[in-house]
Amino acid sequence: MVTNPMQALSNKRLFTPGPVMMSPDILKIGVQQTPYFRNKEFSDLLLMCETNLLSLVSAPKNSRVVFLTASGTAAMEASIVNLFTCDTPVAVINGGSFGQRFVDICQRHRIPVDNIQVDRDDLRDGLVLDSLSTGLSGLLINAHETSIGHLYDIAKSGAYCQSKKILHVVDAISTFVTDEINMLSQYIDVLILSSHKGLALPPGLAMIVLSPSAIERINRHNEFLYFDFFYYLENGVRGQTPFTPAISIFLQLYARLSELERSGIEHSINKANSLANYFRSKIERLNFETYSTSMPNAMTAVRVPNNIDASLIVSRLESDFDCVVAPNGGSLKNLLFRVSHMGHMSLGDIDVLVQGLEYIVKDICK
Ligand SMILES: *Cc1c(COP(=O)(O)O)cnc(C)c1O
């Protein structure tokens, strides 16, 4: 018998770093008809989203937001093609697959890149920026390298960029809402966000917050149409986007940002922190270790004991307990799995996950 893929996909607890579980309020908005958008009402909504977002990330005065209907990677690529050229190199802090993505994008567009590869041991004593070459036009970093659950010291990379007068481009896709992001104190010029991580909305909407100095640096002759930041900034003045946006996600974004404004971003950060601490204290008792020396609240990368295969845990958590955690790839496939603390989640959800883990470990080791 062929199973219905819709049925097979639904009703699972998501501990994946995107997508994440959404709140009932956000889900309710998703069932409405998609409204028409070339009107004053939608413009008002978009402008309020921009104002709220700028305030939540402590953006410098006169910063602007580009709303792209696309996944997070498109926002990374769009930022690079709008702000850099083949003439001057950029540096990328590359500690995993999302750092590598920045490198890949630069290489595709023939932008010279100083690829600063760092592994967990290099990071034990913090980010070292002494070896960066001179004459850079920007530094690209993922605030949280989601492939290994490492949170970088972006206040430090920001201070470095500030001293060298180069653009500080921060991918905070898996950082915003669960961990601190402050464009002023962390000297962020370009902040890359997307809808389906900490914001806990469906995938499809990406946001790039540009400081005034980033806006000044946008390339005049961009060969792209869909990605042309000028086009978005121009339309954004009247609360519109150049092309049909993910309208329904905008409605959800409006609700989510208003809620964050009301409760305060601190509240969300603290909640993620309690979930993360709760989970970490539970797995310690199972002899599992945490992988990174600097963990975000957003996620935990779990190192399993040597006699256990991490990829087996991932598949059994899903098949036996309807809990979806994220596997690792490459050389870490059998060593690590990742558990997100983003989205609409409670301590009770973590209890279910931990009970599943306990059962599977006992079963494997018996
Ligand atoms: C999820 C994520 C992205 C974006 O990935 P998409 O699959 O394009 O949405 C980018 N950077 C980081 C750090 C992420 O965690």
Side-chain angles (χ1 to χ4, degrees), residues 6 41 75 81 89 160 187 205 233 245 303 355:
M6 289 252 280
E41 291 73 18
V81 299
Y160 178 87
Y187 300 109
L205 191 61
L233 293 178
R303 168 91 160 83
Q355 279 157 21

Side-chain angles (χ1 to χ4, degrees), residues 110-364:
R110 298 189 180 76
I111 293 163
V113 49
D114 190 359
N115 180 4
I116 311 295
Q117 277 184 296
V118 287
D119 67 21
R120 188 175 57 145
D121 295 327
D122 300 325
L123 292 166
R124 213 171 283 276
D125 302 318
L127 202 53
V128 180
L129 300 163
D130 305 340
S131 62
L132 293 192
S133 50
T134 53
L136 297 169
S137 51
L139 174 67
L140 282 49
I141 186 166
N142 319 92
H144 162 204
E145 173 51 76
T146 323
S147 62
I148 58 162
H150 187 91
L151 187 73
Y152 292 112
D153 183 351
I154 52 166
K156 187 170 180 182
S157 54
Y160 178 87
C161 292
Q162 171 78 358
S163 73
K164 303 281 178 191
K165 307 223 167 343
I166 63 175
L167 287 182
H168 189 214
V169 179
V170 176
D171 162 8
I173 290 176
S174 62
T175 319
F176 177 52
V177 177
T178 51
D179 294 86
E180 195 200 350
I181 288 294
N182 183 313
M183 287 183 75
L184 282 172
S185 69
Q186 296 166 333
Y187 300 109
I188 301 173
D189 296 300
V190 180
L191 182 69
I192 302 170
L193 307 171
S194 81
S195 53
H196 65 300
K197 305 278 171 100
L199 277 171
L201 305 174
L205 191 61
M207 290 137 271
I208 301 117
V209 188
L210 299 164
S211 73
S213 40
I215 294 171
E216 255 172 51
R217 298 268 292 270
I218 300 174
N219 298 331
R220 284 283 148 189
H221 302 288
N222 185 341
E223 59 192 279
F224 294 87
L225 179 77
Y226 193 79
F227 279 168
D228 186 347
F229 279 179
F230 276 128
Y231 213 178
Y232 285 84
L233 293 178
E234 209 175 86
N235 277 268
V237 173
R238 57 185 178 102
Q240 288 287 322
T241 52
F243 314 104
T244 309
I247 301 168
S248 302
I249 308 178
F250 257 108
L251 304 186
Q252 293 168 314
L253 178 70
Y254 173 77
R256 182 73 166 114
L257 294 176
S258 312
E259 169 205 309
L260 285 168
E261 268 292 330
R262 272 196 308 275
S263 58
I265 198 91
E266 274 307 311
H267 175 77
S268 290
I269 294 176
N270 291 339
K271 186 193 159 220
N273 182 259
S274 331
L275 290 170
N277 287 340
Y278 184 70
F279 174 72
R280 289 164 194 168
S281 71
K282 294 271 175 184
I283 57 161
E284 211 176 311
R285 287 191 236 146
L286 285 170
N287 281 330
F288 286 11
E289 286 169 18
T290 53
Y291 186 68
S292 166
T293 48
S294 161
M295 287 186 281
N297 299 322
M299 200 192 80
T300 306
V302 182
R303 168 91 160 83
V304 304
N306 286 332
N307 56 336
I308 296 178
D309 176 357
S311 67
L312 183 64
I313 293 193
V314 173
S315 58
R316 288 203 52 188
L317 277 173
E318 177 158 6
S319 61
D320 302 358
F321 296 93
D322 285 336
C323 286
V324 191
V325 299
N328 269 75
S331 60
L332 296 172
K333 179 171 188 269
N334 306 115
L335 292 180
L336 298 190
F337 66 92
R338 293 167 301 147
V339 173
S340 143
H341 313 299
M342 296 180 277
H344 186 72
M345 190 181 290
S346 68
L347 297 180
D349 292 312
I350 294 180
D351 286 335
V352 173
L353 176 68
V354 171
Q355 279 157 21
L357 278 172
E358 277 167 357
Y359 178 89
I360 294 165
V361 169
K362 263 200 206 120
D363 198 42
I364 291 176

Side-chain angles (χ1 to χ4, degrees), residues 71-105:
S71 92
T73 304
M76 296 165 79
E77 185 159 23
S79 301
I80 290 172
V81 299
N82 274 278
L83 293 161
F84 302 113
T85 67
C86 305
D87 305 329
T88 25
V90 298
V92 173
I93 305 298
N94 180 359
S97 50
F98 291 101
Q100 184 59 40
R101 191 162 301 176
F102 267 142
V103 172
D104 292 343
I105 295 168

